[in-house]
Amino acid sequence: ENVLTQSPGTLSLSPGERATLSCRASHSITHNYLAWYQQKPGQAPRLLIYGASIRATDIPDRFSGSGSATDFTLTISRLEPEDFAVYYCQQYGGSPWTFGQGTKVEIK
Amino acid sequence: EVQLVESGGGLVQPGRSLRLSCAASGFTVDDYAMHWVRQSPGKGLEWVSGISWNSGSRGYADSVKGRFTISRDNAKNSLYLEMNSLRPEDTAIYYCAKDMKEGAYAPLFDNWGQGTLVTVSS
C-alpha cells in the first residue's frame, strides 16, 4: 500500500498569504497520478488538481500543484476567505487507492 | 449538471446488513466507472469500492473485502453497495463518487454526492 503523509497537520495563515502543503508518498506514484481535494465542513470533497499539476474544471489559478515521484506540493498563492478548509492528497496510480490524512488550513 | 444522490444509510446493529444506493443524473452513466468512498466521523477519506462502466472490473479495500459487494444498474442510472457483517469501524459517511475519465477505471473523483451516514452500533 502506498502511504501518503501530509504535512503540516494544520496551517494557520491570514487571508492574502501563501499556503504550501506537502504530500509525501511511501512509494513512487506511477505517472504522477496524484490528486488534491478540498473539503469544507459538512460538504463533500471537491477535486482541485489531478496529474500532480493539472487544475480541474473551474478551479481558480491561485491553486497550483507540483512535484513528482514521491514528493508533491499544493500551493495556494493568495488565500481567499473561502480557501480555509481541509485539503487531502490522493494517489490513483496503483491499488489500493489511498488518501493522505489531510492538512487543515485555518485562519490565523 | 452532474448529480449523485445517496440513500439507504441509518443505524444498524453489528453483524447486520445494509444496502446503499446512489442515483446518478446529468451525465451518461454507462460511460463512467463509479466508486464508494467513506469518511469516519472526524477522520480522513478511505476508498471503499469501485466498479467499471460495464461491471467488468470491481475492486474493494482490504477492510471490506468479502463483506461488501458493489453493483450497478445502468438502465436505472444507479450504483449500489451491499454491506454485510457490519462492524462498528464501518461507521462513516459513505459518498458515491464518479470517475473523471470516460471509459477508464482510474479512481479520480470529479463529482461526489452529499453522502449518507451509516452508524453501526448496538
Side-chain angles (χ1 to χ4, degrees), chain A residues 79-94:
Chain A
L79 282 163
E80 297 287 340
E82 62 267 28
D83 299 336
F84 291 91
V86 180
Y87 293 84
Y88 294 94
C89 58
Q90 178 233 337
Q91 68 82 18
Y92 54 104

Side-chain angles (χ1 to χ4, degrees), chain B residues 45-60:
Chain B
L45 299 162
E46 179 188 19
W47 173 80
V48 173
S49 183
I51 185 168
S52 63
W53 66 275
N54 63 353
S55 304
S57 294
R58 306 181 199 215
Y60 300 92

Side-chain angles (χ1 to χ4, degrees), chain A residues 20-66:
Chain A
T20 304
L21 289 66
S22 173
C23 176
R24 179 161 290 179
S26 59
H27 309 289
S28 183
I29 296 176
T30 304
H31 303 306
N32 292 331
Y33 281 171
L34 189 285
W36 291 93
Y37 298 85
Q38 176 194 67
Q39 188 178 33
K40 297 179 182 180
Q43 296 184 17
R46 177 175 71 143
L47 177 65
L48 298 176
I49 300 283
Y50 63 96
S53 62
I54 304 169
R55 271 188 301 276
T57 303
D58 295 332
I59 301 303
D61 60 8
R62 64 180 181 273
F63 291 92
S64 63
S66 62

